[in-house]
Amino acid sequence: DPIYTTEALHRSANVAIALNQLEQAKQRLVQALSSAEKIQDDNDRSDALHEVATAYGKLNAPAIAQSVLAKALSSAEKIPDDYTRSSALSGIAAAYGELKAPTIAQSVLAKALSSAEKIPGDSARSSVLHAIATAYGKQNAPTIAQSGLAKVLSSAEKIPDDHARSDALSGIATAYGKLNEPAIAQSGLAKVLSSAEKIPADYARSRALRAIATAYGKQNAPTIAQSG
């Protein structure tokens, strides 16, 4: 059964990662991905892809992770259901956030964004955008993050549902708050604020504004925070 095979390989890979046996972990995860792709049920396949992606994020070997996570992304894109596809894509985005390899992350997160934009459901699409924004915020590469987050913001602004849009904007604001680059954060947060102010629903707008305020507060730059 592909489900049990994938789970066994995933557990084996996690053990190898814990023991710093990277080559063995890579082999197990390649096998786990191949097995996951054979799972017929969309939910189970999505969960398996999410788990494999998460394990790759722990490898601390970006070059090894890149090729397999790209395959995981390709497999995730074939899942027909919005929410299960969203879960898989979010897991892959989160894995790239852990790699701490900005150039590699930028390339694949752009592909994940392109995939996310094709998801019709507002909440499902918002969830992936939030995950992509979070991944950019972890890269410790403000210039790369600035470019990526601008694209995520552009996509988020097209979400019709107030609450889903608020969730995506909140993720983007939080990511800017983690960049440790006040000038870039100020510029980006001003744009997020402009978008948040256009949300009609009070609670949804308030949620986004709180995230923006929190991000400003983390800048350790009182003049910029005061301005925001």
Side-chain angles (χ1 to χ4, degrees):
D1 186 311
I3 296 176
Y4 297 115
T5 301
T6 303
E7 289 178 351
L9 289 166
H10 176 248
R11 286 195 296 270
S12 176
N14 277 332
V15 171
I17 291 170
L19 296 174
N20 202 33
Q21 298 171 344
L22 298 185
E23 188 58 36
Q24 182 177 344
K26 175 190 172 184
Q27 292 174 1
R28 294 291 184 272
L29 288 173
V30 168
Q31 294 171 331
L33 175 59
S34 178
S35 180
E37 291 176 328
K38 297 172 185 175
I39 297 173
Q40 296 299 309
D41 181 81
D42 288 346
N43 285 312
D44 290 335
R45 187 163 75 258
S46 175
D47 288 344
L49 291 172
H50 194 134
E51 289 177 355
V52 171
T54 300
Y56 264 106
K58 298 176 183 177
L59 268 182
N60 195 28
I64 292 175
Q66 183 180 19
S67 62
V68 180
L69 284 175
K71 293 177 183 176
L73 176 62
S74 178
S75 182
E77 289 174 332
K78 298 171 186 175
I79 297 174
D81 180 74
D82 288 358
Y83 287 96
T84 49
R85 185 161 78 256
S86 167
S87 175
L89 291 173
S90 296
I92 293 166
Y96 273 101
E98 298 302 322
L99 287 183
K100 306 298 188 295
T103 304
I104 290 176
Q106 182 182 33
S107 172
V108 181
L109 288 174
K111 294 176 183 176
L113 176 60
S114 178
S115 297
E117 290 175 334
K118 297 171 186 174
I119 297 176
D122 291 346
S123 294
R125 185 163 74 257
S126 172
S127 178
V128 184
L129 295 180
H130 193 126
I132 293 171
T134 300
Y136 273 120
K138 292 183 176 182
Q139 291 309 304
N140 195 28
T143 303
I144 286 177
Q146 181 182 31
S147 173
L149 289 172
K151 293 173 183 176
V152 178
L153 174 60
S154 177
S155 182
E157 289 175 331
K158 298 171 186 174
I159 297 175
D161 181 79
D162 290 351
H163 295 280
R165 187 162 74 258
S166 171
D167 181 64
L169 292 176
S170 297
I172 296 166
T174 300
Y176 272 117
K178 294 180 179 180
L179 293 187
N180 295 319
E181 185 60 55
I184 289 177
Q186 181 185 32
S187 173
L189 288 171
K191 294 173 183 176
V192 179
L193 175 60
S194 177
S195 296
E197 289 174 333
K198 298 172 186 174
I199 297 176
D202 291 344
Y203 177 78
R205 185 170 68 256
S206 171
R207 182 184 177 194
L209 294 176
R210 284 198 303 272
I212 293 167
T214 300
Y216 270 119
K218 291 185 176 180
Q219 292 312 301
N220 195 29
T223 303
I224 286 178
Q226 182 180 30
S227 172

PDB file of all heavy atoms in Angstrom, residues 109-110 112-113 116-117 125-126 128-134 136 145-159 168-169 171-172 175-176 192:
ATOM      1  N   LEU A 109       9.579  29.326  -4.880  1.00  0.00           N
ATOM      2  CA  LEU A 109       8.433  30.035  -4.301  1.00  0.00           C
ATOM      3  C   LEU A 109       7.674  30.806  -5.383  1.00  0.00           C
ATOM      4  O   LEU A 109       6.448  30.961  -5.301  1.00  0.00           O
ATOM      5  CB  LEU A 109       8.894  30.981  -3.193  1.00  0.00           C
ATOM      6  CG  LEU A 109       9.356  30.296  -1.895  1.00  0.00           C
ATOM      7  CD1 LEU A 109       9.926  31.326  -0.924  1.00  0.00           C
ATOM      8  CD2 LEU A 109       8.202  29.525  -1.244  1.00  0.00           C
ATOM      9  N   ALA A 110       8.400  31.263  -6.401  1.00  0.00           N
ATOM     10  CA  ALA A 110       7.724  31.910  -7.531  1.00  0.00           C
ATOM     11  C   ALA A 110       6.817  30.916  -8.256  1.00  0.00           C
ATOM     12  O   ALA A 110       5.701  31.255  -8.672  1.00  0.00           O
ATOM     13  CB  ALA A 110       8.757  32.485  -8.493  1.00  0.00           C
ATOM     14  N   ALA A 112       5.521  28.221  -6.828  1.00  0.00           N
ATOM     15  CA  ALA A 112       4.420  27.931  -5.904  1.00  0.00           C
ATOM     16  C   ALA A 112       3.366  29.030  -5.968  1.00  0.00           C
ATOM     17  O   ALA A 112       2.157  28.759  -5.905  1.00  0.00           O
ATOM     18  CB  ALA A 112       4.958  27.794  -4.480  1.00  0.00           C
ATOM     19  N   LEU A 113       3.816  30.276  -6.109  1.00  0.00           N
ATOM     20  CA  LEU A 113       2.873  31.400  -6.231  1.00  0.00           C
ATOM     21  C   LEU A 113       2.049  31.273  -7.502  1.00  0.00           C
ATOM     22  O   LEU A 113       0.837  31.489  -7.496  1.00  0.00           O
ATOM     23  CB  LEU A 113       3.628  32.728  -6.219  1.00  0.00           C
ATOM     24  CG  LEU A 113       2.791  33.991  -6.433  1.00  0.00           C
ATOM     25  CD1 LEU A 113       1.736  34.138  -5.340  1.00  0.00           C
ATOM     26  CD2 LEU A 113       3.689  35.225  -6.455  1.00  0.00           C
ATOM     27  N   ALA A 116      -0.488  28.723  -6.868  1.00  0.00           N
ATOM     28  CA  ALA A 116      -1.504  29.213  -5.933  1.00  0.00           C
ATOM     29  C   ALA A 116      -2.518  30.098  -6.639  1.00  0.00           C
ATOM     30  O   ALA A 116      -3.719  30.058  -6.339  1.00  0.00           O
ATOM     31  CB  ALA A 116      -0.842  29.976  -4.792  1.00  0.00           C
ATOM     32  N   GLU A 117      -2.048  30.904  -7.557  1.00  0.00           N
ATOM     33  CA  GLU A 117      -2.929  31.847  -8.248  1.00  0.00           C
ATOM     34  C   GLU A 117      -3.970  31.146  -9.121  1.00  0.00           C
ATOM     35  O   GLU A 117      -4.968  31.759  -9.513  1.00  0.00           O
ATOM     36  CB  GLU A 117      -2.093  32.808  -9.088  1.00  0.00           C
ATOM     37  CG  GLU A 117      -1.294  33.779  -8.244  1.00  0.00           C
ATOM     38  CD  GLU A 117      -0.355  34.663  -9.035  1.00  0.00           C
ATOM     39  OE1 GLU A 117       0.070  34.235 -10.136  1.00  0.00           O
ATOM     40  OE2 GLU A 117      -0.050  35.765  -8.570  1.00  0.00           O
ATOM     41  N   ARG A 125      -6.622  29.560  -1.625  1.00  0.00           N
ATOM     42  CA  ARG A 125      -5.565  30.357  -2.261  1.00  0.00           C
ATOM     43  C   ARG A 125      -4.858  31.233  -1.226  1.00  0.00           C
ATOM     44  O   ARG A 125      -3.632  31.343  -1.205  1.00  0.00           O
ATOM     45  CB  ARG A 125      -6.165  31.220  -3.370  1.00  0.00           C
ATOM     46  CG  ARG A 125      -5.123  31.995  -4.175  1.00  0.00           C
ATOM     47  CD  ARG A 125      -5.670  32.491  -5.497  1.00  0.00           C
ATOM     48  NE  ARG A 125      -6.575  33.609  -5.387  1.00  0.00           N
ATOM     49  CZ  ARG A 125      -7.902  33.557  -5.474  1.00  0.00           C
ATOM     50  NH1 ARG A 125      -8.505  32.405  -5.696  1.00  0.00           N
ATOM     51  NH2 ARG A 125      -8.653  34.639  -5.373  1.00  0.00           N
ATOM     52  N   SER A 126      -5.640  31.839  -0.340  1.00  0.00           N
ATOM     53  CA  SER A 126      -5.082  32.683   0.709  1.00  0.00           C
ATOM     54  C   SER A 126      -4.124  31.905   1.602  1.00  0.00           C
ATOM     55  O   SER A 126      -3.075  32.413   2.005  1.00  0.00           O
ATOM     56  CB  SER A 126      -6.211  33.277   1.559  1.00  0.00           C
ATOM     57  OG  SER A 126      -5.695  33.952   2.685  1.00  0.00           O
ATOM     58  N   VAL A 128      -2.209  29.384   0.868  1.00  0.00           N
ATOM     59  CA  VAL A 128      -0.910  29.182   0.201  1.00  0.00           C
ATOM     60  C   VAL A 128      -0.126  30.493   0.161  1.00  0.00           C
ATOM     61  O   VAL A 128       1.081  30.519   0.404  1.00  0.00           O
ATOM     62  CB  VAL A 128      -1.088  28.624  -1.218  1.00  0.00           C
ATOM     63  CG1 VAL A 128       0.280  28.339  -1.835  1.00  0.00           C
ATOM     64  CG2 VAL A 128      -1.917  27.354  -1.214  1.00  0.00           C
ATOM     65  N   LEU A 129      -0.809  31.590  -0.123  1.00  0.00           N
ATOM     66  CA  LEU A 129      -0.133  32.887  -0.157  1.00  0.00           C
ATOM     67  C   LEU A 129       0.480  33.210   1.204  1.00  0.00           C
ATOM     68  O   LEU A 129       1.594  33.740   1.298  1.00  0.00           O
ATOM     69  CB  LEU A 129      -1.114  33.995  -0.570  1.00  0.00           C
ATOM     70  CG  LEU A 129      -1.670  33.909  -1.991  1.00  0.00           C
ATOM     71  CD1 LEU A 129      -2.617  35.076  -2.259  1.00  0.00           C
ATOM     72  CD2 LEU A 129      -0.559  33.890  -3.028  1.00  0.00           C
ATOM     73  N   HIS A 130      -0.265  32.899   2.260  1.00  0.00           N
ATOM     74  CA  HIS A 130       0.237  33.111   3.620  1.00  0.00           C
ATOM     75  C   HIS A 130       1.516  32.295   3.842  1.00  0.00           C
ATOM     76  O   HIS A 130       2.505  32.801   4.393  1.00  0.00           O
ATOM     77  CB  HIS A 130      -0.840  32.705   4.624  1.00  0.00           C
ATOM     78  CG  HIS A 130      -0.571  33.157   6.022  1.00  0.00           C
ATOM     79  ND1 HIS A 130      -1.466  33.896   6.755  1.00  0.00           N
ATOM     80  CD2 HIS A 130       0.493  32.979   6.841  1.00  0.00           C
ATOM     81  CE1 HIS A 130      -0.969  34.145   7.948  1.00  0.00           C
ATOM     82  NE2 HIS A 130       0.223  33.595   8.027  1.00  0.00           N
ATOM     83  N   ALA A 131       1.493  31.036   3.408  1.00  0.00           N
ATOM     84  CA  ALA A 131       2.651  30.160   3.590  1.00  0.00           C
ATOM     85  C   ALA A 131       3.853  30.650   2.789  1.00  0.00           C
ATOM     86  O   ALA A 131       4.995  30.600   3.259  1.00  0.00           O
ATOM     87  CB  ALA A 131       2.288  28.732   3.180  1.00  0.00           C
ATOM     88  N   ILE A 132       3.610  31.128   1.574  1.00  0.00           N
ATOM     89  CA  ILE A 132       4.693  31.642   0.737  1.00  0.00           C
ATOM     90  C   ILE A 132       5.299  32.891   1.368  1.00  0.00           C
ATOM     91  O   ILE A 132       6.523  33.054   1.429  1.00  0.00           O
ATOM     92  CB  ILE A 132       4.178  31.942  -0.686  1.00  0.00           C
ATOM     93  CG1 ILE A 132       3.784  30.643  -1.392  1.00  0.00           C
ATOM     94  CG2 ILE A 132       5.246  32.682  -1.499  1.00  0.00           C
ATOM     95  CD1 ILE A 132       3.064  30.845  -2.715  1.00  0.00           C
ATOM     96  N   ALA A 133       4.443  33.774   1.851  1.00  0.00           N
ATOM     97  CA  ALA A 133       4.931  34.986   2.514  1.00  0.00           C
ATOM     98  C   ALA A 133       5.774  34.634   3.731  1.00  0.00           C
ATOM     99  O   ALA A 133       6.854  35.207   3.954  1.00  0.00           O
ATOM    100  CB  ALA A 133       3.752  35.867   2.928  1.00  0.00           C
ATOM    101  N   THR A 134       5.305  33.685   4.521  1.00  0.00           N
ATOM    102  CA  THR A 134       6.042  33.249   5.706  1.00  0.00           C
ATOM    103  C   THR A 134       7.420  32.717   5.328  1.00  0.00           C
ATOM    104  O   THR A 134       8.422  32.994   6.002  1.00  0.00           O
ATOM    105  CB  THR A 134       5.251  32.166   6.463  1.00  0.00           C
ATOM    106  OG1 THR A 134       3.990  32.699   6.878  1.00  0.00           O
ATOM    107  CG2 THR A 134       6.014  31.675   7.688  1.00  0.00           C
ATOM    108  N   TYR A 136       9.205  33.516   2.693  1.00  0.00           N
ATOM    109  CA  TYR A 136      10.068  34.653   2.328  1.00  0.00           C
ATOM    110  C   TYR A 136      10.593  35.357   3.574  1.00  0.00           C
ATOM    111  O   TYR A 136      11.746  35.790   3.615  1.00  0.00           O
ATOM    112  CB  TYR A 136       9.297  35.650   1.461  1.00  0.00           C
ATOM    113  CG  TYR A 136       9.341  35.351  -0.014  1.00  0.00           C
ATOM    114  CD1 TYR A 136       8.173  35.105  -0.737  1.00  0.00           C
ATOM    115  CD2 TYR A 136      10.549  35.330  -0.709  1.00  0.00           C
ATOM    116  CE1 TYR A 136       8.218  34.827  -2.092  1.00  0.00           C
ATOM    117  CE2 TYR A 136      10.587  35.056  -2.073  1.00  0.00           C
ATOM    118  CZ  TYR A 136       9.422  34.809  -2.764  1.00  0.00           C
ATOM    119  OH  TYR A 136       9.467  34.542  -4.111  1.00  0.00           O
ATOM    120  N   ALA A 145      13.369  38.916  -0.523  1.00  0.00           N
ATOM    121  CA  ALA A 145      12.050  38.866   0.105  1.00  0.00           C
ATOM    122  C   ALA A 145      11.179  40.020  -0.360  1.00  0.00           C
ATOM    123  O   ALA A 145       9.972  39.843  -0.603  1.00  0.00           O
ATOM    124  CB  ALA A 145      12.197  38.898   1.623  1.00  0.00           C
ATOM    125  N   GLN A 146      11.763  41.192  -0.507  1.00  0.00           N
ATOM    126  CA  GLN A 146      10.998  42.358  -0.942  1.00  0.00           C
ATOM    127  C   GLN A 146      10.349  42.118  -2.300  1.00  0.00           C
ATOM    128  O   GLN A 146       9.169  42.403  -2.507  1.00  0.00           O
ATOM    129  CB  GLN A 146      11.912  43.578  -1.015  1.00  0.00           C
ATOM    130  CG  GLN A 146      11.214  44.864  -1.446  1.00  0.00           C
ATOM    131  CD  GLN A 146      12.190  46.025  -1.553  1.00  0.00           C
ATOM    132  OE1 GLN A 146      13.368  45.841  -1.870  1.00  0.00           O
ATOM    133  NE2 GLN A 146      11.720  47.234  -1.277  1.00  0.00           N
ATOM    134  N   SER A 147      11.122  41.578  -3.225  1.00  0.00           N
ATOM    135  CA  SER A 147      10.608  41.291  -4.562  1.00  0.00           C
ATOM    136  C   SER A 147       9.505  40.240  -4.514  1.00  0.00           C
ATOM    137  O   SER A 147       8.442  40.394  -5.130  1.00  0.00           O
ATOM    138  CB  SER A 147      11.755  40.813  -5.449  1.00  0.00           C
ATOM    139  OG  SER A 147      11.278  40.378  -6.705  1.00  0.00           O
ATOM    140  N   GLY A 148       9.755  39.171  -3.761  1.00  0.00           N
ATOM    141  CA  GLY A 148       8.771  38.097  -3.669  1.00  0.00           C
ATOM    142  C   GLY A 148       7.496  38.523  -2.977  1.00  0.00           C
ATOM    143  O   GLY A 148       6.387  38.210  -3.434  1.00  0.00           O
ATOM    144  N   LEU A 149       7.637  39.260  -1.876  1.00  0.00           N
ATOM    145  CA  LEU A 149       6.460  39.688  -1.115  1.00  0.00           C
ATOM    146  C   LEU A 149       5.611  40.682  -1.902  1.00  0.00           C
ATOM    147  O   LEU A 149       4.384  40.718  -1.747  1.00  0.00           O
ATOM    148  CB  LEU A 149       6.888  40.294   0.226  1.00  0.00           C
ATOM    149  CG  LEU A 149       7.434  39.290   1.253  1.00  0.00           C
ATOM    150  CD1 LEU A 149       8.010  40.016   2.459  1.00  0.00           C
ATOM    151  CD2 LEU A 149       6.340  38.320   1.684  1.00  0.00           C
ATOM    152  N   ALA A 150       6.244  41.476  -2.751  1.00  0.00           N
ATOM    153  CA  ALA A 150       5.487  42.407  -3.592  1.00  0.00           C
ATOM    154  C   ALA A 150       4.566  41.634  -4.539  1.00  0.00           C
ATOM    155  O   ALA A 150       3.415  42.029  -4.778  1.00  0.00           O
ATOM    156  CB  ALA A 150       6.436  43.296  -4.381  1.00  0.00           C
ATOM    157  N   LYS A 151       5.072  40.515  -5.041  1.00  0.00           N
ATOM    158  CA  LYS A 151       4.257  39.690  -5.943  1.00  0.00           C
ATOM    159  C   LYS A 151       3.141  38.978  -5.183  1.00  0.00           C
ATOM    160  O   LYS A 151       2.025  38.837  -5.688  1.00  0.00           O
ATOM    161  CB  LYS A 151       5.155  38.687  -6.668  1.00  0.00           C
ATOM    162  CG  LYS A 151       6.132  39.347  -7.623  1.00  0.00           C
ATOM    163  CD  LYS A 151       7.130  38.345  -8.192  1.00  0.00           C
ATOM    164  CE  LYS A 151       8.144  39.048  -9.084  1.00  0.00           C
ATOM    165  NZ  LYS A 151       9.192  38.113  -9.578  1.00  0.00           N
ATOM    166  N   VAL A 152       3.455  38.530  -3.974  1.00  0.00           N
ATOM    167  CA  VAL A 152       2.427  37.887  -3.149  1.00  0.00           C
ATOM    168  C   VAL A 152       1.327  38.894  -2.813  1.00  0.00           C
ATOM    169  O   VAL A 152       0.139  38.572  -2.843  1.00  0.00           O
ATOM    170  CB  VAL A 152       3.042  37.305  -1.858  1.00  0.00           C
ATOM    171  CG1 VAL A 152       1.949  36.678  -0.994  1.00  0.00           C
ATOM    172  CG2 VAL A 152       4.097  36.252  -2.188  1.00  0.00           C
ATOM    173  N   LEU A 153       1.724  40.119  -2.509  1.00  0.00           N
ATOM    174  CA  LEU A 153       0.755  41.165  -2.194  1.00  0.00           C
ATOM    175  C   LEU A 153      -0.148  41.439  -3.396  1.00  0.00           C
ATOM    176  O   LEU A 153      -1.370  41.581  -3.247  1.00  0.00           O
ATOM    177  CB  LEU A 153       1.471  42.445  -1.779  1.00  0.00           C
ATOM    178  CG  LEU A 153       0.590  43.676  -1.545  1.00  0.00           C
ATOM    179  CD1 LEU A 153      -0.424  43.414  -0.439  1.00  0.00           C
ATOM    180  CD2 LEU A 153       1.445  44.897  -1.190  1.00  0.00           C
ATOM    181  N   SER A 154       0.446  41.511  -4.557  1.00  0.00           N
ATOM    182  CA  SER A 154      -0.339  41.750  -5.774  1.00  0.00           C
ATOM    183  C   SER A 154      -1.390  40.663  -5.967  1.00  0.00           C
ATOM    184  O   SER A 154      -2.531  40.934  -6.343  1.00  0.00           O
ATOM    185  CB  SER A 154       0.595  41.802  -6.983  1.00  0.00           C
ATOM    186  OG  SER A 154      -0.133  41.965  -8.183  1.00  0.00           O
ATOM    187  N   SER A 155      -1.005  39.425  -5.685  1.00  0.00           N
ATOM    188  CA  SER A 155      -1.937  38.312  -5.802  1.00  0.00           C
ATOM    189  C   SER A 155      -3.010  38.368  -4.713  1.00  0.00           C
ATOM    190  O   SER A 155      -4.193  38.124  -4.963  1.00  0.00           O
ATOM    191  CB  SER A 155      -1.175  36.993  -5.718  1.00  0.00           C
ATOM    192  OG  SER A 155      -2.017  35.885  -5.874  1.00  0.00           O
ATOM    193  N   ALA A 156      -2.593  38.718  -3.496  1.00  0.00           N
ATOM    194  CA  ALA A 156      -3.532  38.778  -2.374  1.00  0.00           C
ATOM    195  C   ALA A 156      -4.612  39.832  -2.594  1.00  0.00           C
ATOM    196  O   ALA A 156      -5.778  39.645  -2.213  1.00  0.00           O
ATOM    197  CB  ALA A 156      -2.777  39.077  -1.080  1.00  0.00           C
ATOM    198  N   GLU A 157      -4.245  40.922  -3.209  1.00  0.00           N
ATOM    199  CA  GLU A 157      -5.195  42.015  -3.431  1.00  0.00           C
ATOM    200  C   GLU A 157      -6.327  41.622  -4.384  1.00  0.00           C
ATOM    201  O   GLU A 157      -7.361  42.281  -4.418  1.00  0.00           O
ATOM    202  CB  GLU A 157      -4.457  43.240  -3.979  1.00  0.00           C
ATOM    203  CG  GLU A 157      -3.565  43.905  -2.946  1.00  0.00           C
ATOM    204  CD  GLU A 157      -2.734  45.044  -3.508  1.00  0.00           C
ATOM    205  OE1 GLU A 157      -2.407  45.007  -4.725  1.00  0.00           O
ATOM    206  OE2 GLU A 157      -2.418  45.972  -2.751  1.00  0.00           O
ATOM    207  N   LYS A 158      -6.136  40.539  -5.103  1.00  0.00           N
ATOM    208  CA  LYS A 158      -7.143  40.086  -6.066  1.00  0.00           C
ATOM    209  C   LYS A 158      -8.143  39.105  -5.455  1.00  0.00           C
ATOM    210  O   LYS A 158      -9.069  38.658  -6.126  1.00  0.00           O
ATOM    211  CB  LYS A 158      -6.457  39.437  -7.267  1.00  0.00           C
ATOM    212  CG  LYS A 158      -5.551  40.401  -8.031  1.00  0.00           C
ATOM    213  CD  LYS A 158      -4.716  39.669  -9.087  1.00  0.00           C
ATOM    214  CE  LYS A 158      -3.724  40.605  -9.747  1.00  0.00           C
ATOM    215  NZ  LYS A 158      -2.801  39.892 -10.662  1.00  0.00           N
ATOM    216  N   ILE A 159      -7.945  38.764  -4.183  1.00  0.00           N
ATOM    217  CA  ILE A 159      -8.866  37.834  -3.510  1.00  0.00           C
ATOM    218  C   ILE A 159     -10.136  38.587  -3.123  1.00  0.00           C
ATOM    219  O   ILE A 159     -10.076  39.555  -2.358  1.00  0.00           O
ATOM    220  CB  ILE A 159      -8.205  37.228  -2.246  1.00  0.00           C
ATOM    221  CG1 ILE A 159      -6.976  36.413  -2.636  1.00  0.00           C
ATOM    222  CG2 ILE A 159      -9.200  36.366  -1.489  1.00  0.00           C
ATOM    223  CD1 ILE A 159      -6.201  35.873  -1.448  1.00  0.00           C
ATOM    224  N   ALA A 168      -4.239  36.617   4.057  1.00  0.00           N
ATOM    225  CA  ALA A 168      -3.048  36.724   3.209  1.00  0.00           C
ATOM    226  C   ALA A 168      -2.256  37.983   3.541  1.00  0.00           C
ATOM    227  O   ALA A 168      -1.019  37.956   3.666  1.00  0.00           O
ATOM    228  CB  ALA A 168      -3.447  36.714   1.734  1.00  0.00           C
ATOM    229  N   LEU A 169      -2.955  39.096   3.703  1.00  0.00           N
ATOM    230  CA  LEU A 169      -2.277  40.358   4.032  1.00  0.00           C
ATOM    231  C   LEU A 169      -1.573  40.270   5.383  1.00  0.00           C
ATOM    232  O   LEU A 169      -0.476  40.808   5.564  1.00  0.00           O
ATOM    233  CB  LEU A 169      -3.282  41.518   4.041  1.00  0.00           C
ATOM    234  CG  LEU A 169      -3.895  41.905   2.690  1.00  0.00           C
ATOM    235  CD1 LEU A 169      -4.941  43.000   2.871  1.00  0.00           C
ATOM    236  CD2 LEU A 169      -2.817  42.359   1.716  1.00  0.00           C
ATOM    237  N   GLY A 171      -0.283  37.601   6.716  1.00  0.00           N
ATOM    238  CA  GLY A 171       0.933  36.814   6.512  1.00  0.00           C
ATOM    239  C   GLY A 171       2.045  37.635   5.890  1.00  0.00           C
ATOM    240  O   GLY A 171       3.217  37.511   6.263  1.00  0.00           O
ATOM    241  N   ILE A 172       1.678  38.480   4.934  1.00  0.00           N
ATOM    242  CA  ILE A 172       2.669  39.343   4.279  1.00  0.00           C
ATOM    243  C   ILE A 172       3.241  40.351   5.269  1.00  0.00           C
ATOM    244  O   ILE A 172       4.452  40.579   5.319  1.00  0.00           O
ATOM    245  CB  ILE A 172       2.024  40.060   3.070  1.00  0.00           C
ATOM    246  CG1 ILE A 172       1.599  39.032   2.018  1.00  0.00           C
ATOM    247  CG2 ILE A 172       2.992  41.071   2.461  1.00  0.00           C
ATOM    248  CD1 ILE A 172       0.668  39.582   0.959  1.00  0.00           C
ATOM    249  N   ALA A 175       5.636  38.703   7.608  1.00  0.00           N
ATOM    250  CA  ALA A 175       6.904  38.412   6.928  1.00  0.00           C
ATOM    251  C   ALA A 175       7.784  39.662   6.865  1.00  0.00           C
ATOM    252  O   ALA A 175       8.992  39.598   7.116  1.00  0.00           O
ATOM    253  CB  ALA A 175       6.633  37.884   5.524  1.00  0.00           C
ATOM    254  N   TYR A 176       7.182  40.807   6.551  1.00  0.00           N
ATOM    255  CA  TYR A 176       7.953  42.058   6.533  1.00  0.00           C
ATOM    256  C   TYR A 176       8.527  42.359   7.915  1.00  0.00           C
ATOM    257  O   TYR A 176       9.632  42.892   8.046  1.00  0.00           O
ATOM    258  CB  TYR A 176       7.072  43.223   6.070  1.00  0.00           C
ATOM    259  CG  TYR A 176       7.043  43.405   4.578  1.00  0.00           C
ATOM    260  CD1 TYR A 176       5.862  43.268   3.857  1.00  0.00           C
ATOM    261  CD2 TYR A 176       8.198  43.738   3.873  1.00  0.00           C
ATOM    262  CE1 TYR A 176       5.831  43.437   2.472  1.00  0.00           C
ATOM    263  CE2 TYR A 176       8.177  43.911   2.495  1.00  0.00           C
ATOM    264  CZ  TYR A 176       6.996  43.759   1.798  1.00  0.00           C
ATOM    265  OH  TYR A 176       6.979  43.926   0.444  1.00  0.00           O
ATOM    266  N   VAL A 192       0.913  47.271   2.197  1.00  0.00           N
ATOM    267  CA  VAL A 192      -0.019  46.329   2.834  1.00  0.00           C
ATOM    268  C   VAL A 192      -1.110  47.109   3.574  1.00  0.00           C
ATOM    269  O   VAL A 192      -2.294  46.750   3.532  1.00  0.00           O
ATOM    270  CB  VAL A 192       0.722  45.394   3.813  1.00  0.00           C
ATOM    271  CG1 VAL A 192      -0.268  44.433   4.480  1.00  0.00           C
ATOM    272  CG2 VAL A 192       1.800  44.601   3.088  1.00  0.00           C
TER     273      VAL A 192
END
